[in-house]
Amino acid sequence: MDIISQLQEQVNSIAAITFNAFGTLQRDAPPVQLSPNYPEPPATTTATDDATAFPEQPKQLSADLVKAAKQFDALVAALPLSEGGEEAQLKRIAELQVENDTIGQELQKQLEAAEKELKQVQELFGEAADNCLNMKKPE
């Protein structure tokens, strides 16, 4: 797998971890009174095991997110550096464009030759079919 695909996969992983972290926190976080002006939040009916495990969940989720971010940073650091700067890149792009145009013209010639050959084969097939249909049964 190339480095760009690995980066894309790592970004997807970070997004999934973040999504799961927010969803888990939203689902499992105990209600908290935001202000004394608001009424006391209703008591939760979760099991005591869930309530005691909750403080550990954010730590684990954040550790997973940091680990994924560090892996992403390592992949970014592994990207090859551009040699020669922007001018060299533009020159390389121009060279690749010329090469692409040359190959495109060659492919176009091959396509035209193949279409010509196909037309000839179709004509010959038509003639053969006509000859077969016009044949008389031997007497």
Side-chain angles (χ1 to χ4, degrees):
M1 184 182 309
D2 68 335
I3 190 80
I4 300 299
S5 297
Q6 290 177 354
L7 280 169
Q8 185 176 11
E9 190 174 300
Q10 194 61 33
V11 167
N12 290 340
S13 175
I14 289 171
I17 291 170
T18 304
F19 181 79
N20 288 335
F22 287 134
T24 301
L25 290 173
Q26 182 180 15
R27 181 193 66 207
D28 296 341
V32 176
Q33 186 176 10
L34 298 176
S35 167
N37 299 333
Y38 291 104
E40 193 70 31
T44 58
T45 57
T46 59
T48 56
D49 292 339
D50 293 341
T52 57
F54 176 74
E56 294 302 315
Q57 286 178 337
K59 292 176 186 175
Q60 182 61 43
L61 294 171
S62 60
D64 292 344
L65 187 59
V66 168
K67 181 181 176 185
K70 286 183 179 181
Q71 288 174 346
F72 180 82
D73 290 342
L75 289 171
V76 169
L79 285 172
L81 297 176
S82 61
E83 298 172 9
E86 189 174 345
E87 268 185 48
Q89 288 178 353
L90 292 174
K91 182 180 176 184
R92 178 69 178 141
I93 289 171
E95 291 170 358
L96 289 172
Q97 187 62 44
V98 168
E99 182 181 341
N100 185 41
D101 292 342
T102 304
I103 292 172
Q105 290 171 356
E106 183 180 322
L107 287 173
Q108 185 64 34
K109 289 177 186 175
Q110 290 178 359
L111 176 64
E112 290 169 1
E115 287 173 346
K116 184 178 177 182
E117 188 174 341
L118 174 63
K119 190 174 181 179
Q120 289 174 348
V121 168
Q122 287 173 335
E123 288 174 2
L124 290 173
F125 181 77
E127 288 178 22
D130 288 344
N131 290 338
C132 285
L133 291 174
N134 292 331
M135 289 181 68
K136 294 182 181 178
K137 291 184 179 180
E139 296 180 23

